[in-house]
Structures are given as structure tokens and as C-alpha cells.
Amino acid sequence: MENDDNRRVVIVIGAGPAGLAASIGLAQIPGYSVELIEKRTTFEKRGASFGLAKNGLKALSEICSGESYEVVNQLKEGGVSTPNGGLLLPWWEMRDTLLEGVRKEQSNITIRMGMDICSIEDEKDDSQ
């Protein structure tokens, strides 16, 4: 699928930490834009604590690179360091920090709230 700018559109389902991080990473690839689909209509501050291992912090540093991203520093400020170099923080804080990064990519990421995905059909594209 392509949009009006001839960019390929990638659909990411779910605006939790994984979907948000994937959207940020994909939006940085030249020629791609992201449609981020979320079932809920609002982002609420609820959920359990979230453990982020040292390698998870490294992955976020790579995905959320560039001057406009302070994701890892923001998470370190709001989280509790673990002995192995990871972080423990509220789930919603992780999500909100990544959501801020998604909103910085407004030209490449569209968030669609309140949408349920009932089925996905794959149409074969013979041109590739």
C-alpha cells in the first residue's frame, strides 16, 4: 500500500510499548510511513510495573536515535535502576515516553484511535 507521497505504508497494530517503538523505527526508514492502529480511544495511566533490561535500553537507544529523541534519558529519570543495568518503571510511563517520540514523527506516523481490526486480507501483488 502506498500513500499520496508514494511512500509505502506500514500498518502497526497496537500502541503499547512494542507498537510505539516499532512505529518510531519504521518511520525513520526513507520511503515509508506508518499507520498506527489502537483499539482504545484514550491513553490512560494504568497498568503494572515494567521491567526493561539493559539490552532493551540499548535497543531503544538505536531505534530512538537522533537529536529529537531523549527516550532513554527520560526513562532513566522516571525509573528505578536495577543491579543488572536495566530499569523498573510504570508501564504507562514507558508508553507515554515512546508516545512522545511517535508524536515527533507526525509527518511519517498517523495514530488511529478507537479502531478494531477484525480481519486482514492479503492481496497478492504480482508487480514485485
Side-chain angles (χ1 to χ4, degrees):
M1 185 167 103
E2 292 184 355
N3 64 12
D4 295 337
D5 300 332
N6 292 324
R7 290 186 284 180
R8 290 196 173 263
V9 177
V10 178
I11 297 172
V12 175
I13 300 172
L20 292 165
S23 296
I24 291 169
L26 290 165
Q28 294 178 44
I29 300 171
Y32 285 84
S33 65
V34 177
E35 296 279 333
L36 178 58
I37 310 296
E38 172 56 36
K39 176 170 61 172
R40 298 185 187 278
T41 56
T42 60
F43 291 108
E44 299 173 3
K45 292 191 177 194
R46 64 182 185 145
S49 59
F50 186 88
L52 186 60
K54 186 178 179 179
N55 60 348
L57 285 169
K58 184 176 182 194
L60 282 177
S61 294
E62 294 292 322
I63 292 169
C64 302
S65 60
E67 294 176 17
S68 62
Y69 296 104
E70 293 292 326
V71 170
V72 173
N73 289 337
Q74 288 176 356
L75 291 174
K76 286 181 178 178
E77 287 175 12
V80 175
S81 295
T82 61
N84 63 0
L87 287 176
L88 186 62
L89 61 157
W91 180 90
W92 57 263
E93 194 167 322
M94 172 75 170
R95 187 222 36 228
D96 288 354
T97 302
L98 289 168
L99 183 59
E100 186 178 320
V102 163
R103 290 183 172 144
K104 288 180 181 178
E105 286 287 345
Q106 285 182 2
S107 63
N108 286 344
I109 301 175
T110 302
I111 303 174
R112 302 200 182 272
M113 302 292 291
M115 294 185 71
D116 262 336
I117 303 298
C118 299
S119 68
I120 297 174
E121 294 183 25
D122 185 18
E123 295 181 13
K124 186 176 181 181
D125 184 359
D126 293 331
S127 66
Q128 296 181 0

